[in-house]
Amino acid sequence: MNKPLSAIAALLVAGAVQAQAPAPVPVPVHAPVATPGAPIVVAGTVADEASKAALLGRLRAVYGVDRVVDQLSVGTVSTPANWNDYVGRLIGPNLKLISRGQLKVDGNNVSLRGDVASEAQRQQIAGDIAASLNPTYTVNNGLRVAASEQGVLDAALANRIIEFESGKAALTPSGMAILDQMSEALKKLNGIKVEVIGHTDNAGSRAGNLSLSQARAEAVKTYVTGRGIHPDSIAVSGEGPDRPVADNRTTEGRARNRRIEFKVVQ
């Protein structure tokens, strides 16, 4: 069996096929992104020239002819029935979502390694691979979430305050600018449910603050859905003055308490 190479994307081993290369991942904040256009190195041993041609053809169809580096050899290897067909099914566009990883097929054993953008993506890739195989194959999902969904939102908000006009649910221009960036972050979550929570300081009545915080959360939802976020992925709530993060006795503290929170729904 050939020793796996240490780059990324697909490592295919049957009687011994290995392919790997750095494949780009879709922009989670703080997650490593591979160099675009990096080579896909294909190494190992296949049973015959037809198997080699089929494998290379599939990889070139997914990644492009110029990116695939052929280090395959033909030799005596033992593979399961219809192995070439099953391996071909594994080489699909989803592999391009994996960063710093490998897909390894060793006989009937399939293992995935590398980083992906979200837990939903991790499950989807492994599920799609399992669905393409017959029950004699075992899939070991070793993919890791490169940055948590909540981390993506927290990094995008960066402790900034989304501002509204005083006592109203009307966004200020600076508030809109932050929400433009938050909309891009939300798109990276691929439909993960997020709750938008409005908070206020303790000035005025609690009932009035609860109503204002709810209205502001609704205004945020309206704004981001206008930027392409599906409404079903956004829930809203208003907690008024009930969860302060700073001292309401100071001007600065009250300003920090008048905030919008984005929370991934588990």
Side-chain angles (χ1 to χ4, degrees):
M1 190 68 60
N2 288 323
K3 183 179 179 180
L5 303 179
S6 60
I8 186 170
L11 172 61
L12 306 159
V13 181
V17 184
Q18 308 178 2
Q20 55 189 31
V25 69
V27 200
V29 178
H30 300 315
V33 179
T35 304
I40 309 298
V41 180
V42 191
T45 305
V46 292
D48 50 47
E49 290 290 346
S51 298
K52 177 178 176 177
L55 177 58
L56 290 173
R58 182 63 178 155
L59 284 165
R60 287 165 178 160
V62 171
Y63 290 103
V65 173
D66 294 338
R67 290 186 64 189
V68 177
V69 178
D70 175 15
Q71 295 183 3
L72 289 172
S73 61
V74 175
T76 302
V77 291
S78 176
T79 59
N82 300 316
W83 183 81
N84 289 343
D85 178 52
Y86 284 118
V87 169
R89 298 180 192 179
L90 296 178
I91 304 170
N94 274 354
L95 294 185
K96 297 164 78 173
L97 302 176
I98 303 172
S99 177
R100 289 193 308 277
Q102 303 172 333
L103 165 64
K104 177 177 179 180
V105 186
D106 186 355
N108 290 59
N109 297 312
V110 178
S111 64
L112 288 162
R113 297 289 184 272
D115 294 341
V116 290
S118 67
E119 177 61 24
Q121 197 175 85
R122 189 182 85 88
Q123 296 292 345
Q124 178 188 347
I125 293 171
D128 289 349
I129 283 179
S132 70
L133 302 170
N134 71 32
T136 67
Y137 282 77
T138 300
V139 178
N140 175 14
N141 184 0
L143 296 176
R144 302 174 303 174
V145 177
S148 71
E149 290 95 344
Q150 188 63 52
V152 170
L153 297 178
D154 293 344
L157 187 57
N159 292 318
R160 294 176 294 175
I161 299 296
I162 297 168
E163 294 181 347
F164 296 82
E165 294 181 16
S166 180
K168 301 179 181 179
L171 288 155
T172 65
S174 65
M176 293 178 190
I178 294 173
L179 288 181
D180 287 338
Q181 297 174 35
M182 293 306 299
S183 297
E184 294 305 309
L186 288 165
K187 289 175 184 177
K188 296 169 191 174
L189 303 189
N190 297 318
I192 294 290
K193 192 74 172 276
V194 172
E195 185 178 13
V196 174
I197 308 169
H199 301 272
T200 67
D201 60 27
N202 66 351
S205 71
R206 180 174 180 275
N209 281 323
L210 285 171
S211 177
L212 179 60
S213 64
Q214 179 73 27
R216 287 178 169 178
E218 294 281 2
V220 168
K221 177 176 180 176
T222 297
Y223 190 90
V224 299
T225 55
R227 295 297 183 275
I229 304 303
H230 198 287
D232 290 347
S233 69
I234 303 294
V236 296
S237 66
E239 299 202 4
D242 293 347
R243 286 177 51 203
V245 293
D247 190 345
N248 274 310
R249 292 173 296 181
T250 68
T251 300
E252 181 181 353
R254 289 192 296 273
R256 295 301 303 171
N257 289 333
R258 297 190 297 268
R259 70 194 189 279
I260 292 291
E261 182 181 3
F262 294 80
K263 183 177 180 181
V264 172
V265 178
Q266 301 297 328

